Amino acid sequence: MMKEQKTVIKVTNATVRFNKSNINYNGLKEYFIKMLKRELMFQEFFALKDVNLEVKKGEAWGLIGNNGSGKSTLLKLICGILKPYKGTVEVHGNIAPLIELGAGFDRELTARENIYLNGALLGHKKAFMQENFDEIIEFAELQDFVDVPIKNFSSGMSARLGFAVATIVKPEILIVDEVLAVGDRAFQAKCKKRMEEMLSGGTTLLFVSHSINQVKELCQKAIWLDKGVVKASGNAEDVIPLYINS
């Protein structure tokens, strides 16, 4: 008898609401005057509406949909960056979120300094980062730029370093948002290979990409979002054609 897979992410009837201003204000002064007079006008905007998603340990899910469909919002909800207006989100396991590569970097500091800084933000001790320093630099292909400030890096170089630091430890849950859109083809292939190694080791993957081919290659499951609403969810081979033909 096969052992049932453990649920690691469960999103139940989750709704995310933002307030959009209806009026353009001429500077902060006018904004604060309106705020004090309670004359600010907002329009409700629902980024996600009653979304349900259950992810089992070791599954790879692709999040697909047009720009503005709510994919990144759903990832931020699962990461705990956003809280649901309604509904619940349960996560069991440590998350490595690659939503904005290099978001924890200080642009005035060098690559070397940022590796230790980013490692600390991820909860790693200095000794651990020292032990893995050479591997990080080698993966990021930045041997000649170790002591160069990040502000002088291209977006591709920063992305390589961010990915190398974030994936030095195999997380239980890996969340990737358009990472493979950054960098050259060789780097994309390295990222894909590392993610495949993590998946074969039991890591759970949530993957956002505008490349349907990448989703097909990495994910067995898919959820299609459109304007914050789930249009279809299940096996990727069933969901992807619905999205393509919509």
Side-chain angles (χ1 to χ4, degrees):
M1 184 176 169
M2 285 183 66
K3 186 180 176 183
E4 189 179 347
Q5 286 174 287
K6 173 187 167 189
T7 297
V8 291
I9 298 167
K10 188 168 186 180
V11 180
T12 308
N13 299 325
T15 295
V16 172
R17 182 188 72 169
F18 297 121
N19 287 327
K20 287 198 306 183
S21 176
N22 283 347
I23 304 167
N24 290 323
Y25 297 100
N26 297 318
L28 280 172
K29 182 180 176 183
E30 184 185 355
Y31 179 86
F32 282 116
I33 289 170
K34 292 278 188 186
M35 183 176 71
L36 291 168
K37 290 182 176 179
R38 302 188 178 218
E39 293 176 358
L40 290 180
M41 301 292 291
F42 292 104
Q43 177 185 1
E44 283 188 336
F45 167 68
F46 290 94
L48 295 176
K49 302 173 196 169
D50 294 317
V51 170
N52 291 283
L53 174 65
E54 185 169 353
V55 179
K56 305 281 190 182
K57 179 177 168 54
E59 288 182 340
W61 279 78
L63 280 67
I64 58 177
N66 296 328
N67 285 334
S69 62
K71 304 184 299 295
S72 296
T73 301
L74 179 55
L75 293 187
K76 288 176 181 174
L77 197 65
I78 291 166
C79 290
I81 297 168
L82 294 174
K83 297 293 180 191
Y85 170 63
K86 286 195 303 187
T88 59
V89 179
E90 297 174 49
V91 178
H92 305 282
N94 69 300
I95 295 178
L98 300 183
I99 292 177
E100 293 177 50
L101 281 183
F105 289 155
D106 184 326
R107 292 183 56 77
E108 297 299 320
L109 300 180
T110 65
R112 183 189 303 277
E113 292 164 330
N114 269 295
I115 285 172
Y116 290 108
L117 172 64
N118 226 234
L121 290 172
L122 291 168
H124 304 318
K125 293 188 173 160
K126 187 177 180 182
F128 175 82
M129 297 309 293
Q130 285 174 327
E131 191 180 314
N132 291 279
F133 184 87
D134 290 342
E135 184 186 336
I136 290 167
I137 290 296
E138 186 180 341
F139 186 91
E141 299 170 7
L142 295 172
Q143 292 91 333
D144 297 330
F145 303 94
V146 174
D147 295 304
V148 174
I150 293 284
K151 66 182 178 183
N152 296 326
F153 279 20
S154 67
S155 59
M157 291 165 74
S158 295
R160 294 205 304 269
L161 185 60
F163 187 91
V165 172
T167 58
I168 197 67
V169 171
K170 182 175 78 68
E172 293 172 283
I173 302 166
L174 180 64
I175 291 185
V176 180
D177 189 356
E178 285 296 346
V179 168
L180 299 190
V182 183
D184 57 29
R185 195 168 293 178
F187 172 66
Q188 291 176 12
K190 280 174 73 171
C191 289
K192 183 169 171 285
K193 185 182 176 189
R194 180 164 279 194
M195 286 194 288
E196 285 170 342
E197 288 168 359
M198 288 179 169
L199 283 169
S200 65
T203 292
T204 303
L205 175 67
L206 294 184
F207 181 66
V208 168
S209 175
H210 282 107
S211 168
I212 291 300
N213 286 333
Q214 286 178 351
V215 173
K216 283 179 180 176
E217 288 170 6
L218 281 168
C219 306
Q220 307 88 38
K221 301 276 189 178
I223 179 168
W224 168 26
L225 288 164
D226 182 47
K227 294 176 183 172
V229 175
V230 177
K231 301 290 280 188
S233 178
N235 291 327
E237 61 189 16
D238 300 324
V239 175
I240 288 173
L242 295 174
Y243 168 62
I244 291 172
N245 296 323
S246 66

